[in-house]
Amino acid sequence: MTSHFLTGLELNKAQALKLLSLAQTIKQQPKEFNQALAGQSIVTLFEKPSLRTRVSFDIGINRLGGHAVYLDQQNGAMGGRESVKDFALNIATWADGIVARVNAHSSLQTLAEFSSVPVVNSLCDLYHPCQALADFLTLQEVYGDVSKIKLAYLGEGNNVTHSLMLLAATLGTDFVAISPKGASPDAQVLKQAEQLAAESGASITVSDDIEAATGADALYADTWVSMGDTTPLEQVKAKYMPYQINQQLVEQSGASTILHCQPAHREYEITSEVMDGANSKIIQQAENRMHAQNALLVSLLNPNYV
Ligand code: CP
Ligand code: NVA
């Protein structure tokens, strides 16, 4: 059966740690991996905009000796000119893998159902698992053992929150999602995370109280309005402002690391002071997208290489 990476739940704790370790090796010894995907072509398909994901996959695949074929929002729009099923059937005849950023998670499931080559989720409405891998790679670089830390996410419960929560639960990291009332993470994803946490020993909680960030080692922000949601940022500003990551919150929580998946709206979900401050690992986190994804691609497309 073809292996896909659609939710992040494909990885148990040992597999996730192995992948992070491979990412670290690839980061430190890139030359040893410059033929890891030699002769392989990967289609990267986007139904939504992207900077980090598009560029990190493209350059990352190139550094592994592979070839990336980019389908932009016009040519990668599935279900218009032809169905998701036909995208999968056609692309799989030429390519060795498909990386897809889609509007609806169900499109990834359909791609995976009809693709004979691995499908990787590079963001959907429910998950952003490649982001979470890079986030935990970064936390591992800062703290070593991530099962000994507490991570607090602030803002809208969304795709990024879900993937962070699930990987935290898998790896044994204490995690709290702090969101205004009505903007909590999906109840079903929370339940899945709680089940994983029962095995790993992680504490997984949600709260609407900013005090829940106290004692967190790391604070994490994402946009208050995700791609596809046309609500103006100004319209939700009052609701989310109490959850902004600013210097006062950093001091109050005692956190030593600040993360943001980006794109960031400076002075909204995070202040420039914090984003550019000494505790910010946001650019390291962005760099790690490429290393984490490369580890994933090598594991899926050339497992004998490692
Ligand atoms: N974090 C992230 O996925 O960024 P892009 O939307 O720019 O790819
Ligand atoms: N939650 C954001 C993440 C962007 C990387 C979105 O879906 O737009």
Side-chain angles (χ1 to χ4, degrees):
M1 215 179 79
T2 309
S3 299
H4 303 290
F5 187 69
L6 303 188
T7 63
L9 290 164
E10 294 84 356
L11 300 174
N12 63 28
K13 183 175 180 176
Q15 291 165 328
L17 286 173
K18 197 171 163 205
L19 195 75
L20 294 178
S21 163
L22 176 61
Q24 203 52 257
T25 307
I26 294 176
K27 184 174 181 176
Q28 283 158 16
Q29 294 147 26
K31 282 199 181 130
E32 287 183 21
F33 294 86
N34 65 14
Q35 294 303 309
L37 295 187
Q40 301 211 45
S41 298
I42 297 156
V43 167
T44 61
L45 176 162
F46 288 80
E47 291 189 329
K48 294 181 179 190
S50 171
L51 171 66
R52 279 145 294 275
T53 306
R54 189 224 161 153
V55 177
S56 62
F57 267 108
D58 197 320
I59 293 179
I61 291 165
N62 186 264
R63 289 194 186 181
L64 296 174
H67 169 226
V69 179
Y70 171 59
L71 293 183
D72 61 14
Q73 274 178 269
Q74 189 186 355
N75 293 300
M78 297 186 288
R81 190 162 172 259
E82 53 199 303
S83 67
V84 180
K85 174 178 173 176
D86 288 337
F87 261 84
L89 291 172
N90 279 268
I91 294 173
T93 63
W94 310 302
D96 301 284
I98 303 174
V99 171
R101 168 167 286 195
V102 300
N103 294 315
H105 185 68
S106 57
S107 296
L108 286 165
Q109 290 170 319
T110 307
L111 273 180
E113 186 183 346
F114 294 104
S115 168
S116 55
V117 299
V119 175
V120 170
N121 180 355
S122 61
L123 185 145
C124 66
D125 53 340
L126 278 178
Y127 307 103
H128 197 358
C130 292
Q131 179 70 53
L133 287 175
D135 301 339
F136 275 90
L137 181 61
T138 310
L139 289 169
Q140 218 179 43
E141 287 176 337
V142 177
Y143 297 105
D145 185 352
V146 293
S147 73
K148 298 213 157 47
I149 62 166
K150 173 179 169 178
L151 169 63
Y153 172 92
L154 293 105
E156 188 196 36
N158 61 18
N159 46 7
V160 168
T161 330
H162 294 158
S163 289
L164 267 183
M165 180 189 275
L166 290 171
L167 193 52
T170 299
L171 292 174
T173 303
D174 289 343
F175 178 86
V176 58
I178 310 172
S179 315
K181 280 191 180 29
S184 301
D186 181 79
Q188 192 59 36
V189 177
L190 176 61
K191 208 168 145 192
Q192 282 174 314
E194 285 168 346
Q195 282 163 2
L196 289 167
E199 262 182 62
S200 71
S203 152
I204 304 291
T205 50
V206 297
S207 174
D208 61 6
D209 184 357
I210 198 74
E211 287 292 324
T214 305
D217 298 282
L219 302 180
Y220 194 119
D222 184 14
T223 179
W224 294 333
V225 180
S226 283
M227 289 181 278
D229 182 344
T230 53
T231 312
L233 207 45
E234 286 306 320
Q235 202 170 302
V236 297
K237 191 175 174 182
K239 173 173 151 187
Y240 282 102
M241 208 37 128
Y243 301 85
Q244 183 191 59
I245 300 187
N246 51 40
Q247 198 53 38
Q248 192 190 334
L249 180 69
V250 173
E251 282 163 25
Q252 195 179 309
S253 63
S256 51
T257 296
I258 309 303
L259 299 175
H260 190 311
C261 58
Q262 302 186 85
H265 305 89
R266 289 169 180 258
E267 313 313 331
Y268 287 83
E269 71 267 9
I270 189 165
T271 59
S272 269
E273 185 185 13
V274 171
M275 189 159 172
D276 301 329
N279 294 337
S280 172
K281 299 289 181 229
I282 293 170
I283 296 303
Q284 182 176 333
Q285 183 187 4
E287 180 192 337
N288 282 339
R289 288 293 304 277
M290 184 175 75
H291 306 301
Q293 288 158 190
N294 277 2
L296 179 67
L297 290 175
V298 174
S299 305
L300 287 172
L301 301 179
N302 196 359
N304 296 330
Y305 201 88
V306 291

